[in-house]
Amino acid sequence: MAAVPLHYVDLRTFCYATEDEKRVEEALRTYLPEGFEIERAETEGYHGDRILVLSARVENADGIRHVLEQLRGSADLEQVRGQLDDRVTENCELFLYLDKQAAFGGEARLGEGITLRAKVEAYPAKKDTAIENVREVL
């Protein structure tokens, strides 16, 4: 795959007070290239508990290819291909929700815990064009 039809990929997860921060970071790193920096932002939950937001934006082509390679290992990709109309927005963004627990074990699977948002290149910038570009890349 020479060209990558994505402008960037954002990955984000939350680390709640009951979770081990290192394990949550390791789960997020399952999708990231080696040595990639993760941003941290601390916030507070409804009952005053600490929530750490871990996020990363991958913008270079090699990094995006790495993220896509991790996703290609998922058995859920056929399901994703069948749901592209629901997963791609009118703003040409692809959304996937990934299983944080499976990611900690090194496995890419749909689920809850990690949000992947990718801005899809589409000229003209229309949902149908974006869907076709995502279908090619997956």
Side-chain angles (χ1 to χ4, degrees):
M1 168 174 48
V4 179
L6 301 174
H7 292 290
Y8 58 82
V9 174
D10 287 332
L11 291 159
R12 183 182 68 201
T13 190
F14 299 106
C15 179
Y16 299 100
T18 58
E19 294 178 307
D20 181 354
E21 182 180 332
K22 289 180 179 153
R23 288 176 151 219
V24 173
E25 180 179 334
E26 189 176 325
L28 188 61
R29 287 198 181 280
T30 297
Y31 297 99
L32 295 172
E34 187 76 28
F36 205 84
E37 186 162 337
I38 294 177
E39 294 180 25
R40 290 167 161 68
E42 198 167 309
T43 189
E44 191 174 291
Y46 182 76
H47 296 288
D49 51 324
R50 181 186 86 110
I51 299 174
L52 184 64
V53 182
L54 303 175
S55 61
R57 175 173 279 195
V58 181
E59 295 179 303
N60 65 4
D62 288 338
I64 292 172
R65 281 188 198 96
H66 178 85
V67 173
L68 292 173
E69 283 302 316
Q70 302 303 60
L71 292 175
R72 285 194 192 102
S74 173
D76 298 328
L77 263 183
E78 273 311 309
Q79 179 183 351
V80 170
R81 286 186 191 106
Q83 298 171 341
L84 286 179
D85 197 47
D86 295 328
R87 293 184 178 274
V88 176
T89 68
E90 293 295 330
N91 292 327
C92 301
E93 298 167 312
L94 168 68
F95 282 91
L96 295 176
Y97 303 99
L98 305 165
D99 188 318
K100 184 168 37 173
Q101 189 68 36
F104 176 70
E107 184 182 343
R109 188 179 338 144
L110 294 179
E112 295 180 8
I114 299 175
T115 302
L116 180 145
R117 176 180 154 257
K119 182 68 172 176
V120 182
E121 288 182 4
Y123 304 103
K126 296 191 185 267
K127 182 177 179 175
D128 293 336
T129 309
I131 288 173
E132 287 309 310
N133 286 344
V134 171
R135 195 177 311 278
E136 285 179 26
V137 79
L138 294 179

